[in-house]
Amino acid sequence: MYVIIGNSAAAIGAVEGIRQMDESSQIVIVSDEPHHTYSRPLISYLLLGKTNEQLMKYRPDTFYENNNVTLLAPHRVTAIDPTEKTISLSSESKINYDKLLVAAGSSPFVPPMTGLDTVEKKFSFMSLDDARALERAVDDQSRVLIIGAGLIGLKCAEGILGRVRSVAVVDLTDRILSSILDEKGAAIVRRHLESKGVSFKLGTSVDNFEVNRAALKNGEHVEFDALVLAVGVKPNTGLVKALEKDKPLVNRGIITDTKMRTGINDIFAAGDCAESFDISLEANRVLAVLPNAYMQGETAGINMAGGNAEFNKAMPLNAIGFFGCHVLTAGSYVGDKIERSEGETYRLFFAQDNLLKGFMLINSPNRAGIYTSLIREKTPLDNIAQMIFDDPSLAAFSRAERKSMLGVVRYA
Amino acid sequence: MRRIYVNEEWCLGCHLCEYYCAFAQTGGASMALALKDKQINPRIHIEDAEKYDSKGAEVHFAVSCRHCVEPYCVKGCITGALSIKDGVIQIDQEKCIGCYTCVLSCPYGCVAPADDGKVMQKCELCLNTTSGEPQCAKNCPNAAIVYEDRG
C-alpha cells in the first residue's frame, strides 16, 4: 500500500507517477484540510473573483475514484514508525505503508511580535480556509495591513484590494519581492501596485501591535481592521526530523536525492517540505514552487512503484502577475548581467561559464520558456545567436538544433 | 501518434498556416468573411529570421506545439487547466487564470495568450475545431508543415 501525507501538487504528482507503473494497488492520501485537491496559488484569484471553488480544483471530481485513491481528510499525521512501517493519525489509528511519501508542504512562519496576541482579526494566506476567513472578516470599509511584501503577501494584496478601503504592506527589506527581484525590477512592480492603490512601508518592521494599531520601528503608525501575516514560510519537516539519529535527515527542508528518496528506506519526500538540487545554483535548496512540487512528486511516485525516475531539472521558476503586470523569473542570479530593458519593460539575464543561469522578465512574458530551456538544458551560449536576448526565438539556434526541436517526437 | 512536423527547408514564409489556423478557430464557412479586417492571433507562428542559410536563402519556419511526451507545461500548470488526452495537450480555458507558468515552461514558446490576454491558448491539433485535422498542415502549399506519425 502506498501512503501519501499531503494532498496538493506533490501528492497528486505522486499519484500520477505511481499510476504510470502500477494501475491498481491502493493509494491512501492523508490531508489535514477537508477539501478536494485544489490549487493553492489560486486563493488570491478566488478573492478576485477570477475562479471559484469548483474551477480551482487541481484535478477533476473523479480523480480519487478513477485512481483508486482513498482520501482521509481532515486527519493529521502525528508520527512515522519506519520499523513497523506505520503512520499514526491524531485519531489514534494507525495506517500501514509499503512506500510512504511525505508531501506535507509548508506552514506560515510568524516571528514573535510584541502585542500580536491583542490583534483580533489576524490571518495567514496559504490555504483555501485562510482566504475564506479573510474574505468573511473584511468589507468595503476595512483597512488591511499585510506584513510581508513577498509573493504571498502581494498576491493577497492584489486579491483583496478591490474588496476593502485600503491595503498597506510592510516589509523589513527595502524592496518588494526581494526573493525574486533586484532593486530596479522591484521598483517597476512597486510603481504598478502603487498606481492601483496599494501602499508600502518598506525597510521597516512592526515594533508592536495594540489591538488594531501597528507601531512601526521607523516611528510611523498604521491603523488596520484586518492583519495578514505573510512574513515567510517554513517547510513542514517535523515528522521526518523526529526520526533523525546518526545522520541528518533534514537541513532547511527534508534532504532528498534525485529519486526523491529520504535517508530512510521506503520513505520519500516531495514538494515544499523537501530540498532538491537546484541545477542553476548547483546546490541543494528548498524550491517551493508548484512545478517543482509536481515533478518531484511524480518522480517519487514512479520510484515508489518500482520504476527508475530521476528529477534532475529542479530550479526556481516563478510566474506571477499583479493587475496585468507579469513577472517571470527563473534560475539563479549569478554571473555576468545582460540587460535589455526599456521603460517599464525589464529584461535582465545572468550568464556564467557560457551558460544562462537565470533571468528576470517584467512586462515581457512572451515565449519566456525558450530562456528557461537554455538554463535547464545547459545550452552553451556561444552556439546561439546573441539576438536571443532581444527577442526569444528558435531562429537563434542552428538549423540542425531546430530540426531536432521541430522535426522529431519531443519528450520535453 | 500523428503530430505536426516542420520541414524548414520547404517553408516559403507565406504565413498561410497562420491564417488557416485562425480561420479554423472561427468555425466559419468563408475565410474572407471570418478574417477580413481582423488582427489574427494564431496558434502556429512563422519565424522570419533576419538571417540567411548557407545558400543565401532567407530562413523561415513554422513553430507550433510539439505535444511533448513529458510536457513541462502540463506538469507545471498550477490550475490543472493543461492536460494530456490521447497524446494531445489540451487547455481548459475556463480553468486557466493566465498565470503564464506554462509560457515560462515551454521550450518552444508555443503557449501564448488568447485574444483577451487573460487566458492561454495553444495548438490542439484542430481537435477543438470543426475542421477535424490540422488546417496548417492541410493547407501548406509546399509541405513545409506536415501532420504525420514519426513514432
Side-chain angles (χ1 to χ4, degrees):
Chain A
M1 178 143 82
Y2 304 104
V3 176
I4 299 171
I5 302 170
N7 188 27
S8 281
I12 300 307
V15 170
E16 294 179 353
I18 289 168
R19 288 291 174 248
Q20 290 171 34
M21 308 297 300
D22 174 347
E23 286 178 9
S24 57
S25 304
Q26 204 195 355
I27 302 173
V28 172
I29 289 182
V30 187
S31 168
D32 60 1
E33 288 182 88
H35 301 296
H36 184 91
T37 183
Y38 66 93
S39 171
R40 215 167 276 286
L42 289 200
I43 60 173
S44 68
Y45 296 87
L46 183 70
L47 296 185
L48 270 174
K50 286 175 80 174
T51 188
N52 58 46
E53 283 191 29
Q54 181 60 30
L55 285 175
M56 71 192 284
K57 287 179 180 173
Y58 184 53
R59 288 296 181 268
D61 287 320
T62 52
F63 178 82
Y64 301 108
E65 194 190 331
N66 288 351
N67 286 290
N68 188 22
V69 174
T70 305
L71 173 63
L72 297 179
H75 278 282
R76 188 168 281 279
V77 178
T78 53
I80 299 169
D81 183 336
T83 314
E84 296 292 317
K85 295 183 84 170
T86 60
I87 59 168
S88 303
L89 306 185
S90 47
S91 60
E92 290 180 7
S93 57
K94 288 190 176 184
I95 301 172
N96 293 301
Y97 69 82
D98 296 307
K99 305 284 177 186
L100 176 68
L101 174 67
V102 181
S106 53
S107 301
F109 165 68
V110 182
M113 288 183 273
T114 310
L116 189 57
D117 55 330
T118 68
V119 179
E120 195 190 327
K121 290 184 179 177
K122 52 178 185 272
F123 306 90
S124 299
F125 197 67
M126 289 191 62
S127 68
L128 179 55
D129 291 346
D130 289 341
R132 287 300 189 207
L134 176 61
E135 185 180 33
R136 280 193 300 271
V138 297
D139 59 30
D140 59 4
Q141 288 308 304
S142 303
R143 297 157 300 176
V144 177
L145 174 62
I146 299 174
I147 311 297
L151 299 157
I152 293 173
L154 293 190
K155 282 310 272 185
C156 179
E158 182 196 42
I160 203 76
L161 185 68
R163 293 171 174 264
V164 298
R165 176 156 45 131
S166 67
V167 175
V169 183
V170 172
D171 199 296
L172 184 59
T173 316
D174 60 3
R175 66 179 195 274
I176 68 170
L177 297 172
S178 59
S179 65
I180 61 166
L181 291 181
D182 65 356
E183 220 164 280
K184 195 171 160 188
I188 293 171
V189 182
R190 178 183 170 178
R191 279 196 291 277
H192 184 72
L193 281 163
E194 284 174 338
S195 77
K196 300 293 175 185
V198 179
S199 65
F200 290 97
K201 317 250 176 231
L202 301 180
T204 187
S205 59
V206 175
D207 183 71
N208 66 79
F209 292 103
E210 208 180 306
V211 192
N212 58 356
R213 187 167 188 265
L216 305 185
K217 289 199 170 131
N218 68 2
E220 287 184 66
H221 292 86
V222 183
E223 305 259 342
F224 59 90
D225 302 297
L227 176 69
V228 177
L229 297 160
V231 176
V233 298
K234 54 176 194 293
N236 293 328
T237 58
L239 290 170
V240 173
K241 183 82 183 166
L243 307 178
E244 241 173 31
K245 285 180 189 144
D246 321 325
K247 59 176 180 180
L249 298 173
V250 174
N251 288 328
R252 185 168 149 68
I254 299 167
I255 300 169
T256 58
D257 63 12
T258 53
K259 294 178 184 294
M260 305 320 297
R261 295 179 295 203
T262 66
I264 296 182
N265 282 346
D266 300 324
I267 302 181
F268 296 72
D272 291 8
C273 66
E275 288 186 357
S276 49
F277 184 74
D278 174 353
I279 58 164
S280 65
L281 193 68
E282 297 186 348
N284 288 311
R285 61 165 147 167
V286 176
L287 293 165
V289 293
L290 195 143
N292 280 315
Y294 179 88
M295 288 186 266
Q296 290 176 349
E298 185 189 35
T299 302
I302 291 169
N303 292 328
M304 288 162 76
N308 185 20
E310 268 193 288
F311 181 46
N312 48 18
K313 309 271 175 176
M315 65 168 139
L317 211 55
N318 282 286
I320 191 163
F322 303 102
F323 306 108
C325 169
H326 290 282
V327 179
L328 270 54
T329 66
S332 298
Y333 306 144
V334 294
D336 299 326
K337 290 181 186 178
I338 302 163
E339 189 174 351
R340 298 284 190 277
S341 304
E342 200 182 335
E344 298 298 283
T345 296
Y346 193 48
R347 298 168 56 81
L348 185 63
F349 302 88
F350 293 83
Q352 191 177 59
D353 302 330
N354 199 27
L355 299 174
L356 187 65
K357 303 300 271 183
F359 60 83
M360 304 173 196
L361 299 170
I362 301 173
N363 292 318
S364 183
N366 289 343
R367 303 190 85 189
I370 292 174
Y371 299 128
T372 307
S373 182
L374 294 179
I375 304 175
R376 196 194 279 130
E377 304 305 328
K378 300 185 177 170
T379 309
L381 288 178
D382 58 7
N383 288 354
I384 303 163
Q386 293 300 296
M387 66 185 186
I388 201 162
F389 295 113
D390 300 310
D391 192 19
S393 71
L394 302 189
F397 294 81
S398 70
R399 176 172 276 194
E401 183 60 31
R402 231 170 13 249
K403 207 165 187 70
S404 83
M405 291 175 176
L406 306 177
V408 300
V409 176
R410 293 304 304 187
Y411 285 83
Chain B
M1 174 195 139
R2 291 168 86 193
R3 289 182 174 81
I4 303 279
Y5 296 99
V6 170
N7 297 320
E8 174 175 326
E9 56 276 32
W10 299 115
C11 182
L12 306 166
C14 71
H15 294 247
L16 265 180
C17 51
E18 296 177 346
Y19 284 89
Y20 276 99
C21 175
F23 176 48
Q25 295 300 325
T26 66
S30 151
M31 184 188 281
L33 288 175
L35 301 183
K36 189 173 183 315
D37 300 327
K38 296 242 169 71
Q39 176 81 35
I40 62 166
N41 182 19
R43 293 147 201 239
I44 190 167
H45 289 275
I46 294 292
E47 283 195 34
D48 296 307
E50 289 175 14
K51 68 179 192 185
Y52 301 90
D53 68 12
S54 53
K55 292 174 194 154
E58 285 180 45
V59 171
H60 311 274
F61 55 90
V63 188
S64 67
C65 174
R66 309 306 311 132
H67 295 279
C68 300
V69 179
E70 298 277 340
Y72 289 114
C73 62
V74 174
K75 291 174 199 259
C77 177
I78 72 166
T79 65
L82 283 160
S83 63
I84 315 176
K85 198 177 168 202
D86 300 327
V88 181
I89 299 173
Q90 305 185 332
I91 184 161
D92 176 348
Q93 291 185 324
E94 221 192 339
K95 279 182 84 75
C96 177
I97 40 83
C99 72
Y100 282 77
T101 302
C102 51
V103 177
L104 183 61
S105 301
C106 174
Y108 313 102
C110 289
V111 196
D115 286 343
D116 63 2
K118 292 181 179 154
V119 296
M120 297 298 134
Q121 66 177 27
K122 64 178 294 303
C123 165
E124 298 177 62
L125 298 178
C126 278
L127 294 175
N128 60 332
T129 72
T130 53
S131 57
E133 64 177 303
Q135 294 298 296
C136 54
K138 190 177 177 206
N139 292 288
C140 176
N142 209 31
I145 305 168
V146 292
Y147 180 50
E148 59 190 35
D149 194 339
R150 294 187 181 177

